[in-house]
Amino acid sequence: MLERGDTIGHTWVHLYDGLVLHTGKHLSALPGLRFPSSTPLFPTRGHFVDYLRRYAGRFDVPVQTNADVRSIGREDDTWIVELGDGRSMRSQTVVVATGIVSNPYVPEIPNQAHFRGRVLHSVDYRRPGPFANQRVLVVGAGNSSGEISAELAGAGAQVTVAIRSGARVVPRALLGIPVQYIGAVLDTLPPPVLRSAMRITSALSGRFRGESPLPPPTDNPCAAVPLIGFHLSDGVKSGRIQLKRGLLAFTTDGVRFSDGSEQPFDTVILATGYRAALGMLSGSVTLDRCGFGARQNRVISVDSPDLYFVGHNYGPAGGLRNIARDARLAARLIADRSRGKARTQRETPRRSNER
């Protein structure tokens, strides 16, 4: 197992301090090890980092840290993996479990070079303290945007959120049950039916809490995860967070919005999401319409039976649950394929010139 960072769970270690999973612990564990009973229903980033370290120790996972994979290529029937430190590795099978966080999406926004404030992606945000009393614009309508905006507003920042395409808001829990658990049941439905179910859930929560102040989302088959929790909606309703439509361009002191208005800001945080981290494959694999590796049977690359993708399935059941499901499936398929190869080699008759 190759880890690009200097510690197990490098990605999770460097996410923002206040991160709390919006997926319940019962469906967020990896195969073979539950969370401790003392872990809260919705684990924090710290809880999950500790869990990953215990997991690696429990199963004696052979992790190589500081192993940044620069390229993966094919040579005959073998994969050649090149690392950033010059090392090279060979393998019959490769599992790509690189996720998305190492590939943040940064949109090209006109005149950004002229803006005198600070621009950063949400992946580089750690804690609200440095932004207290600043005018902060958060761009995006995903879960990172909602959580970071609420945290900044609570710390005294003047927060505005720019939402271009809208958001569907659902509660983190219904009657004390994580909405993810309901999503795990709905995840078996066809996508159109699933989107209808999410609209119904959002409408029901609106009846009890009032209509969401956020604009409704546009149809996007790749935006399978709604905005979970009411922290952003409540901040907008209370006036602690201002809401604007899409960002059109930067100005010297701030930004111009799509409605033509301009507003000054000290910092702009781009909570604009991520793309699948597949740069090491150099465009040599087929992608699906959402930019992930195209797969058959959930995890097998359509381009090679010895290339697997784990963590490329997203949906209302939760990313970690899908990762656990993909991991079990990939492990079983790899083991079956290895046994099949071994059996074929044993049963292949020798040629007359072979010893």
Side-chain angles (χ1 to χ4, degrees):
M1 179 176 175
L2 304 178
E3 165 60 68
R4 68 187 173 99
D6 59 0
T7 183
I8 291 171
H10 169 85
T11 291
W12 287 90
V13 169
H14 291 87
L15 293 175
Y16 57 95
D17 293 351
L19 185 149
V20 177
L21 299 186
H22 51 248
T23 57
K25 66 178 181 180
H26 305 97
L27 295 185
S28 299
L30 301 178
L33 183 65
R34 297 178 179 178
F35 280 91
S37 58
S38 59
T39 303
L41 179 58
F42 296 102
T44 66
R45 179 189 66 88
H47 288 122
F48 196 71
V49 169
D50 289 342
Y51 172 79
L52 290 177
R53 289 170 177 165
R54 289 195 308 107
Y55 194 93
R58 170 73 174 271
F59 297 105
D60 196 22
V61 180
V63 180
Q64 293 188 34
T65 56
N66 294 311
D68 188 14
V69 176
R70 295 299 175 86
S71 68
I72 301 174
R74 192 77 168 169
E75 185 177 291
D76 297 326
D77 61 347
T78 302
W79 292 103
I80 309 297
V81 179
E82 303 287 348
L83 304 183
D85 60 8
R87 286 182 294 158
S88 179
M89 304 179 69
R90 303 173 71 88
S91 179
Q92 295 299 313
T93 303
V94 169
V95 179
V96 176
T98 47
I100 59 176
V101 178
S102 64
N103 188 24
Y105 172 64
V106 179
E108 293 186 7
I109 302 173
N111 300 326
Q112 181 174 334
H114 300 290
F115 177 53
R116 293 187 295 200
R118 181 186 179 192
V119 180
L120 68 154
H121 192 276
S122 57
V123 74
D124 297 313
Y125 170 84
R126 294 292 177 269
R127 57 194 64 89
F131 305 95
N133 301 317
Q134 284 193 12
R135 299 164 298 183
V136 182
L137 174 67
V138 181
V139 181
N143 284 291
S144 293
S145 171
E147 292 161 8
I148 291 172
S149 299
E151 189 172 77
L152 287 168
Q158 301 174 43
V159 181
T160 300
V161 176
I163 297 179
R164 177 176 56 86
S165 56
R168 178 168 292 110
V169 183
V170 300
R172 191 170 71 165
L174 285 171
L175 302 175
I177 302 173
V179 71
Q180 174 214 10
Y181 296 3
I182 301 171
V185 177
L186 298 177
D187 201 26
T188 59
L189 301 175
V193 180
L194 175 60
R195 286 194 290 271
S196 296
M198 287 195 294
R199 282 194 293 269
I200 292 171
T201 302
S202 182
L204 287 174
S205 65
R207 290 193 63 181
F208 291 100
R209 296 182 56 91
E211 289 299 319
S212 170
L214 308 182
T218 56
D219 284 335
N220 181 353
C222 298
V225 180
L227 181 57
I228 299 175
F230 297 106
H231 31 275
L232 178 56
S233 295
D234 290 346
V236 173
K237 287 181 178 180
S238 69
R240 294 186 300 117
I241 298 175
Q242 304 303 310
L243 192 63
K244 297 289 287 187
R245 295 307 295 259
L247 190 162
L248 188 62
F250 279 95
T251 64
T252 302
D253 299 316
V255 305
R256 182 180 306 111
F257 295 102
S258 56
D259 62 3
S261 64
E262 295 185 6
Q263 195 169 330
F265 292 100
D266 302 299
T267 299
V268 175
I269 299 176
L270 301 173
T272 44
Y274 305 86
R275 300 293 184 266
L278 296 175
M280 74 291 294
L281 289 163
S282 302
S284 61
V285 297
T286 303
L287 303 181
D288 65 16
R289 62 180 176 176
C290 299
F292 293 95
R295 307 166 305 285
Q296 52 187 335
N297 201 359
R298 283 185 64 91
V299 296
I300 305 175
S301 170
V302 298
D303 301 294
S304 172
D306 290 318
L307 179 63
Y308 297 78
F309 295 105
V310 169
H312 280 223
N313 292 295
Y314 283 80
L320 290 170
R321 180 178 182 272
N322 278 315
I323 287 171
R325 179 182 175 187
D326 292 351
R328 291 186 179 96
L329 178 59
R332 187 175 71 248
L333 291 171
I334 292 169
D336 290 346
R337 184 170 173 78
S338 297
R339 284 192 292 267
K341 285 183 176 180
R343 185 167 54 251
T344 300
Q345 291 169 356
R346 288 195 303 270
E347 295 173 354
T348 300
R350 293 178 180 174
R351 295 191 297 269
S352 59
N353 64 341
E354 284 184 326
R355 294 183 181 179

